[in-house]
Amino acid sequence: MGQSLITAIRDNTGSTRSRFSKKWAKTIPFLLMLPALAVMGLFALFPVINAFRLSLFDKQLLNPGETFVGLDHYSQLFSNGEFINALKVSVIYVAGSVALQFLVGLALAALLSAQGVKGKRFFRTAFIVPYTLSELVVSLIWLQILDTEFGIINYFATLLGADPQNWLFDFALPAVIVANVWWGSTFSLLMLESAMQGIPKELYEAAEVDGCTSWGKFIHITLPSIRYVSLLNMIMITLYTINSFGIIFVLTAGGPLGSTDVIGMFMWRSAFQFMDLGLGATISTLIFVVNILITLVYIRLFGLNTLKEGA
């Protein structure tokens, strides 16, 4: 009788410990995430909330006072011709930069992943060099390359019998897109090449037995195998291109005649050149909303269905 009672107590104690351990096993991961969530809240969530709050006020940079204006800034923006022009320029700049960055990165990754290509280490290092430079250095390099009198492009154009061009005036938007692509393609290269290295070689060997060509293997094996990384890469370079304006600021400062005035430039000019922090916060809030919408569209169009199938 006494032994049975001791056994029951032990079983009950063990069961209680087991439930306690399982409860802690589920709770501890959330507790460990708290510091990271606190940092994200402080440096990511709080600025977004504060920017939205500021967009509802008339706030000047050199004036400590604030006047509540509600949604007036939002209604004013969509009747502002400069803002509409900035939206159009941004669409062209982002679409051109993202498409070219992804395609150039994909082509270089496929080249470096192909068998029989010599000097891969040299080319990989050469392709990575631009990404190690800051936006300012990249901009200064392209200022020299595109210079009307001493630029290397006009030098070779003259050798071929063509007239020198003022690239940053006559072809300002294509010029800043090319500079951005030269700098940002390395990021796509690194992500896509890493994904290609993880594809099992048995798939390519089986395709060769079936008589598949190199192009066929790229279309039917490589591209489907890197689709998740490709989706993530396109989301990241799209968001970065929307939010960046350093290269444009140095090369053209939004000119000539607003032809390179992307929405980031318009936001900077409103907030710090015209000292209207309320309007600048309104534009930054709209950029945040656009970032969220673009991410959802990417996932919906290119990733959600395939992710469900792969789950």
Side-chain angles (χ1 to χ4, degrees):
M1 181 72 177
Q3 186 63 35
S4 300
L5 178 60
I6 294 173
T7 303
I9 293 174
R10 285 178 176 174
D11 292 343
N12 187 46
T13 304
S15 177
T16 303
R17 288 179 177 174
S18 177
R19 289 197 298 271
F20 185 76
S21 299
K22 290 180 179 177
K23 184 178 180 181
W24 270 104
K26 294 181 180 178
T27 306
I28 286 177
F30 292 101
L31 294 178
L32 294 176
M33 291 172 61
L34 284 179
L37 292 176
V39 172
M40 287 185 61
L42 179 63
F43 293 103
L45 188 60
F46 174 73
V48 172
I49 296 175
N50 191 49
F52 175 70
R53 184 199 66 79
L54 198 59
S55 70
L56 305 178
F57 289 85
D58 182 11
K59 169 71 175 175
Q60 301 301 312
L61 184 61
L62 301 180
N63 186 353
E66 296 179 348
T67 304
F68 182 75
V69 294
L71 300 177
D72 283 359
H73 284 142
Y74 292 92
S75 61
Q76 290 173 12
L77 273 180
F78 289 98
S79 59
N80 188 321
E82 292 185 9
F83 178 72
I84 301 300
N85 174 69
L87 282 179
K88 294 178 181 177
V89 174
S90 294
V91 170
I92 299 173
Y93 177 69
V94 172
S97 295
V98 171
L100 290 176
Q101 280 187 35
F102 179 77
L103 291 176
V104 171
L106 180 64
L108 295 178
L111 177 65
L112 294 178
S113 299
Q115 295 181 350
V117 177
K118 297 181 179 180
K120 288 184 179 181
R121 183 174 299 179
F122 169 78
F123 287 114
R124 188 178 289 112
T125 303
F127 293 146
I128 290 175
V129 166
Y131 200 65
T132 63
L133 305 176
S134 69
E135 229 174 344
L136 175 61
V137 174
V138 171
S139 304
L140 294 176
I141 290 173
W142 278 92
L143 272 179
Q144 299 298 318
I145 292 175
L146 299 172
D147 186 82
T148 305
E149 296 183 6
F150 307 105
I152 189 171
I153 294 181
N154 275 342
Y155 171 76
F156 285 109
T158 305
L159 291 180
L160 296 174
D163 295 329
Q165 300 290 331
N166 189 343
W167 299 100
L168 293 177
F169 187 87
D170 299 325
F171 305 95
L173 188 54
V176 295
I177 290 176
V178 170
N180 189 40
V181 170
W182 180 79
W183 184 49
S185 296
T186 303
F187 181 70
S188 298
L189 163 65
L190 294 175
M191 289 191 69
L192 298 176
E193 189 193 6
S194 299
M196 290 179 185
Q197 296 298 327
I199 301 174
K201 298 186 183 301
E202 292 78 7
L203 295 177
Y204 293 109
E205 294 172 354
E208 288 179 358
V209 172
D210 292 338
C212 190
T213 63
S214 299
W215 178 250
K217 288 186 287 186
F218 180 74
I219 294 296
H220 298 294
I221 297 177
T222 304
L223 288 183
S225 299
I226 64 171
R227 59 187 183 278
Y228 301 137
V229 176
S230 299
L231 172 64
L232 178 62
N233 176 247
M234 293 188 70
I235 290 175
M236 294 180 71
I237 60 179
T238 301
L239 299 185
Y240 187 82
T241 305
I242 291 176
N243 297 321
S244 69
F245 80 109
I247 290 178
I248 292 180
F249 181 79
V250 176
L251 290 181
T252 63
L257 303 176
S259 60
T260 59
D261 191 20
V262 295
I263 195 168
M265 280 293 306
F266 186 74
M267 179 188 68
W268 174 85
R269 195 167 58 251
S270 300
F272 300 107
Q273 189 172 5
F274 300 140
M275 301 185 182
D276 191 342
L277 287 183
L279 185 60
T282 304
I283 300 169
S284 68
T285 302
L286 290 176
I287 292 176
F288 172 76
V289 173
V290 169
N291 286 339
I292 297 296
L293 292 177
I294 287 178
T295 303
L296 294 177
V297 168
Y298 267 130
I299 293 176
R300 177 61 181 167
L301 292 181
F302 303 108
L304 186 61
N305 296 332
T306 54
L307 285 173
K308 285 182 177 178
E309 292 172 1

